[in-house]
Amino acid sequence: LVFFIPVPMVVLGKRQGLKVSILSSIAATILIGLFLGPLNAISFGALMLFVGCSLGFAYNRDYSPVFKVAIGIVGFAILLIAVVASYEWVMGIGFTSLLLQTLEQSTSEVMTFYQTANIMDAEQLAVAKTAMDKNIEMMKLALPSAFLLLPVVFGMVNVIVSDMILKRIGYPVK
């Protein structure tokens, strides 16, 4: 879904320019807010605004593919920073601590379910608990690199998807 939300703004940006894509992004955000609620509207609206409009501007100016990918990466990086900061501001808790707290809570719930359902014996439960704890520790180590790679992957895939759709509707793409 993250790959297709910005595409209408990219097409509008290619055809009409930056002003029209920004206005359309704001209008779409309002409509999403009416149908899906304000939290979805903010996240989808930010995705359309930061990524869709910036990529639409890049396609309108016929920038090189490398520059389009760079713009997509910057757009997704700004979006990721905005999401993490909004979690901090709205919920009053850090995004990573919330994520890790949720993982630990779900792990304890799974272990409780396994104990009450008598699916595993005590030795198997201990092994499973150790494995889950190790996985959480590995996620703590991998989270910073995931935050760094996420905009790169999403930016590249979004440019590829936008290229395919623009070619499909008849626009020449570098």
Side-chain angles (χ1 to χ4, degrees):
L1 193 61
V2 171
F3 302 125
F4 295 108
I5 298 257
V7 172
M9 297 309 128
V10 172
V11 173
L12 276 173
K14 173 77 175 163
R15 295 176 96 180
Q16 303 293 328
L18 185 62
K19 289 179 185 177
V20 172
S21 63
I22 289 174
L23 286 173
S24 298
S25 176
I26 293 169
T29 301
I30 292 169
L31 288 174
I32 290 171
L34 291 174
F35 291 114
L36 299 177
L39 290 177
N40 287 328
I42 291 170
S43 62
F44 289 144
L47 183 61
M48 286 185 290
L49 186 67
F50 291 130
V51 179
C53 293
S54 60
L55 280 177
F57 178 76
Y59 277 97
N60 187 316
R61 299 293 172 114
D62 288 325
Y63 288 142
S64 70
V66 173
F67 196 69
K68 287 187 267 191
V69 169
I71 287 176
I73 291 169
V74 169
F76 273 109
I78 291 170
L79 177 68
L80 183 63
I81 291 168
V83 166
V84 170
S86 68
Y87 266 91
E88 178 74 35
W89 182 65
V90 171
M91 294 184 170
I93 188 169
F95 181 77
T96 54
S97 59
L98 176 66
L99 180 64
L100 295 173
Q101 182 182 25
T102 304
L103 283 172
E104 290 170 358
Q105 182 180 1
S106 64
T107 299
S108 66
E109 288 175 7
V110 166
M111 293 307 296
T112 303
F113 172 75
Y114 284 161
Q115 287 172 342
T116 57
N118 291 328
I119 295 175
M120 299 178 177
D121 62 9
E123 183 180 322
Q124 290 174 328
L125 282 172
V127 169
K129 176 70 173 156
T130 304
M132 288 182 188
D133 289 341
K134 285 182 181 177
N135 284 340
I136 289 175
E137 288 302 315
M138 289 299 291
M139 288 187 73
K140 287 179 183 179
L141 294 174
L143 203 57
S145 60
F147 278 143
L148 291 175
L149 285 176
L150 200 64
V152 174
V153 171
F154 282 175
M156 290 177 67
V157 171
N158 208 297
V159 168
I160 291 169
V161 168
S162 297
D163 282 350
M164 289 177 7
I165 290 176
L166 285 171
K167 285 179 187 175
R168 180 85 174 144
I169 61 176
Y171 284 100
V173 177
K174 284 185 186 178

